Amino acid sequence: MSQHGSQNGNLSTKHMQNSDQMTIGDFFAYKNVFITGGTGFLGTVLIEALLGTSPDIGTIYVLVRSKKNVDPKERIKRMLQKQLFEKHDDNTLKKIVPVVGEIGELNFGFTNDLFAELIDKVNVIYHIAATIKFSSPLRTAIKTNLTGTMHTIELAKKVKNLAAYVYYSTAFCNSNNRGLILEKVYKSKFDPYDMMRWAEDDNAWLDFNKDKCKATITDHPNTYTFTKNLAENLLMAEMKSMPVAIVRPSVVYGTWERPLPGWVGNASSGHLGFLAGFIKGVFRTMRGSETAILDVIPCDYVINSSLVMAWYVATRHIEQPEVIHCTAGEVNPMTCGQFCDYLNDSVKRHPADNFVWKPIARLRSGWRYNLSFYLFHLLPAMIVVIPEKLFSLGMPQHTLFEYMHVFKKGSEFFDYFLHNDFRYDMKNALRINRIIPEKDRLRYNFDASQCNWSEFIDRIIIGIRRFYFKEAVVTTSWHHNYWKFYNVLYYAGYVFLFIILFVLMTSLFELDIGFTIAAIIWGFLVWL
């Protein structure tokens, strides 16, 4: 294994806590870091940011799952070939060391020698790994999000020189509450230890079904928020008076600035998946109301907050896990209506190289959303299945029809968060952001109050074009002409639709009646 790091990595926690004026770069110098979830979207950006904290940072151990016919070292090698690592030389990248294991296994399934090495050398732990699917089976969610967290806690308690432990939670973990959610751990209705034991009992799950799952998670909307709340309760029980931080991001989008503006990873899920489909004219209707707050946060702000929190809990005495929200709704709210306006303006300025139909985002809810989805999403997707296969139109990997089902399911899950009054207190986050050492304040800022959301959406749209679809980053006159052409087709489609309705209705009724019926149907479809 790598031998990066030095005697400074063995600084005692007590000494660290007396170093109140230490900069963030000074803190991470000679520190060895263990990361779960390091190959995911957030984890990848965190690794890059850690490399940038100090040229003297030690080894970054990255937990990598074993996959059939895939060498873990090759997975890390492919990750490091991404554009966000371009500024780092080979010697720096050698500090990233993959360690093969499973989050759900005792000691991660590591060999005794490897586990002993981690106990001896690790100073900072970042726990990101989780099953983030809202629809994950409850047992799977417990084993990954709760039992997996327990395994990182056990490691943290065994390491000889723990400086900081940072847990990536979610702002939605307390979505069974209403109003202003505080930066504290809300007590779960279930004991996390009982839940972990339950997950290990095969017989208890033989007749477990959706109804029993709903009865178990009670007022939580899904298994993800339920198990994330349980994991926070576990941290409170296990890690009192230890240097522990809990970071709760809201909806994480691409990066604002670092390491690259608009970095979006693979943009294949969640709201980034919606945007990828949107710029190709595939996803055109967003579920929600004009005034609902869409609480998004740039990815690099989340990373900055987690770097700051490691520094913070390591440089002072902590009685219990320090909790912050990494959100924007309280300081710089953006409504769903504004979001759609920004999207429509941005995609017009920066259209993709090609798209299925003119991209346009509309807000709909209730029966209007459902009918719009079936008529203008699902039906066209069925029609273009063969052409998209022949001419490589639309989005990669799956057919539009398949994407539509995923999109609808995701919209239904997320609808819960848009139609309830969720607000996230940020007093503690803003307090800590203000005490960042002056030298680091601009670099590690995570206060989104000054974010220009229109500019941010521009960067994300360009980032999806550049990093996901591998298109040119520069928008040329060709792109604008292409947009104008499809804009003409878009409005010509309205005319063509009316002609079809007019011909059909006048063939069934007298001219004046047929015209009236055609006009009513056409007007309804345009409004829809």
Side-chain angles (χ1 to χ4, degrees):
M1 299 299 296
S2 174
Q3 300 297 316
H4 292 290
S6 76
Q7 69 277 7
N8 287 27
N10 294 322
L11 288 172
S12 70
T13 300
K14 181 177 179 181
H15 179 80
M16 287 300 307
Q17 290 166 346
N18 292 332
S19 303
D20 190 59
Q21 300 305 311
M22 180 177 290
T23 67
I24 292 169
D26 291 339
F27 166 69
F28 279 104
Y30 308 107
K31 294 294 185 301
N32 301 312
V33 184
F34 176 74
I35 301 176
T36 73
T39 57
F41 175 48
L42 279 169
T44 304
V45 182
L46 172 63
I47 291 170
E48 192 285 328
L50 283 167
L51 292 175
T53 56
S54 169
D56 297 316
I57 193 168
T59 301
I60 300 175
Y61 297 97
V62 182
L63 179 65
V64 183
R65 293 183 64 188
S66 177
K67 289 189 176 182
K68 188 176 181 180
N69 300 324
V70 180
D71 181 7
K73 290 184 179 180
E74 186 61 29
R75 287 181 64 192
I76 293 295
K77 182 179 178 180
R78 287 201 300 266
M79 181 186 81
L80 298 180
Q81 290 172 346
K82 294 178 179 179
Q83 289 161 293
L84 74 165
F85 290 101
E86 283 181 346
K87 70 179 182 180
H88 299 290
D89 60 31
D90 289 342
N91 286 332
T92 300
L93 295 179
K94 287 178 182 177
K95 296 183 178 185
I96 302 170
V97 176
V99 288
V100 183
E102 292 288 337
I103 190 70
E105 292 186 14
L106 183 65
N107 296 342
F108 310 102
F110 293 155
T111 63
N112 291 337
D113 288 346
L114 174 56
F115 198 65
E117 178 179 342
L118 297 179
I119 290 172
D120 186 55
K121 293 184 177 181
V122 167
N123 310 112
V124 180
I125 296 174
Y126 280 99
H127 178 33
I128 308 175
T131 174
I132 61 174
K133 292 181 179 179
F134 290 169
S135 59
S136 286
L138 180 57
R139 191 183 189 188
T140 301
I142 293 172
K143 285 189 171 185
T144 303
N145 296 348
L146 185 57
T147 306
T149 299
M150 187 66 203
H151 293 157
T152 65
I153 292 171
E154 290 167 348
L155 173 62
K157 287 185 170 184
K158 290 176 181 176
V159 298
K160 295 178 180 178
N161 294 287
L162 180 70
Y165 174 105
V166 180
Y167 176 64
Y168 276 59
S169 186
T170 171
F172 306 127
C173 69
N174 298 301
S175 52
N176 56 325
N177 294 278
R178 294 293 180 274
L180 186 67
I181 308 297
L182 302 178
E183 291 167 300
K184 69 174 187 177
V185 174
Y186 287 74
K187 187 170 179 58
S188 173
K189 294 181 180 179
F190 292 88
D191 183 292
Y193 302 98
D194 289 342
M195 298 302 287
M196 287 189 288
R197 284 191 290 268
W198 184 36
E200 297 304 318
D201 183 0
D202 292 336
N203 293 328
W205 300 88
L206 292 177
D207 59 347
F208 196 78
N209 53 38
K210 289 184 178 180
D211 290 336
K212 290 185 178 181
C213 177
K214 190 174 182 180
T216 302
I217 66 176
T218 59
D219 49 359
H220 274 273
N222 53 64
T223 59
Y224 173 64
T225 66
F226 176 73
T227 51
K228 279 293 192 177
N229 173 250
L230 282 168
E232 287 194 2
N233 276 258
L234 186 64
L235 289 169
M236 284 292 288
E238 290 281 339
M239 305 190 80
K240 284 184 169 61
S241 298
M242 293 182 69
V244 177
I246 297 173
V247 177
R248 292 178 182 160
S250 52
V251 182
V252 182
Y253 270 31
T255 56
W256 169 258
E257 180 180 13
R258 298 175 185 274
L260 297 166
W263 174 259
V264 294
N266 62 15
S268 62
S269 61
H271 260 244
L272 286 176
F274 165 75
L275 295 186
F278 162 74
I279 71 170
K280 292 295 185 179
V282 176
F283 302 148
R284 306 165 54 76
T285 307
M286 181 175 166
R287 192 168 187 154
S289 66
E290 288 278 344
T291 57
I293 300 298
L294 180 60
D295 200 322
V296 305
I297 193 76
C299 175
D300 42 342
Y301 279 47
V302 180
I303 301 305
N304 285 350
S305 72
S306 67
L307 295 173
V308 169
M309 291 309 293
W311 161 83
Y312 179 83
V313 298
T315 54
R316 61 214 72 222
H317 180 70
I318 301 295
E319 292 290 344
Q320 61 184 20
E322 195 79 30
V323 183
I324 65 164
H325 283 133
C326 191
T327 55
E330 287 297 295
V331 294
N332 191 6
M334 175 174 57
T335 66
C336 289
Q338 290 172 323
F339 176 70
C340 285
D341 289 341
Y342 294 148
L343 282 182
N344 292 330
D345 291 341
S346 181
V347 79
K348 183 177 180 180
R349 287 191 296 268
H350 308 288
D353 286 359
N354 56 72
F355 32 81
V356 176
W357 195 238
K358 176 189 172 181
I360 186 169
R362 293 192 179 96
L363 271 177
R364 299 291 184 264
S365 59
W367 67 267
R368 191 180 180 189
Y369 170 82
N370 290 325
L371 187 55
S372 176
F373 174 79
Y374 284 109
L375 286 178
F376 304 130
H377 286 73
L378 207 57
L379 184 59
M382 293 171 66
I383 295 172
V384 301
V385 165
I386 295 177
E388 71 172 334
K389 288 289 188 180
L390 291 176
F391 303 109
S392 300
L393 299 174
M395 299 170 68
Q397 300 175 356
H398 299 286
T399 66
L400 296 183
F401 188 74
E402 292 168 331
Y403 274 114
M404 288 306 170
H405 281 286
V406 175
F407 170 61
K408 188 173 189 297
K409 192 173 183 180
S411 297
E412 289 170 351
F413 279 123
F414 201 75
D415 186 56
Y416 176 90
F417 301 103
L418 292 177
H419 281 82
N420 288 287
D421 180 27
F422 293 119
R423 296 171 50 216
Y424 306 104
D425 183 40
M426 292 187 63
K427 290 186 180 65
N428 199 36
L430 295 175
R431 176 186 68 83
I432 293 173
N433 191 75
R434 286 192 295 269
I435 63 174
I436 296 173
E438 185 175 353
K439 180 181 177 182
D440 293 330
R441 202 161 293 163
L442 182 62
R443 166 62 185 85
Y444 294 105
N445 171 62
F446 57 91
D447 174 8
S449 60
Q450 300 304 311
C451 270
N452 181 318
W453 294 126
S454 177
E455 171 65 21
F456 180 57
I457 295 300
D458 269 0
R459 296 184 184 193
I460 299 306
I461 293 296
I462 294 171
I464 291 172
R465 280 179 44 189
R466 178 185 179 186
F467 302 119
Y468 183 61
F469 289 113
K470 312 301 181 186
E471 296 180 358
V473 65
V474 178
T475 302
T476 65
S477 58
W478 182 90
H479 289 92
H480 291 302
N481 290 332
Y482 187 76
W483 171 270
K484 291 175 182 177
F485 172 73
Y486 265 83
N487 197 43
V488 171
L489 286 181
Y490 177 74
Y491 288 105
Y494 283 136
V495 176
F496 183 66
L497 175 61
F498 181 78
I499 291 172
I500 291 176
L501 290 171
F502 176 76
V503 171
L504 181 61
M505 292 300 107
T506 54
S507 68
L508 297 174
F509 305 98
E510 293 182 5
L511 179 62
D512 54 345
I513 297 176
F515 177 83
T516 302
I517 295 174
I520 292 172
I521 296 174
W522 181 84
F524 173 76
L525 292 174
V526 170
W527 170 81
L528 191 63

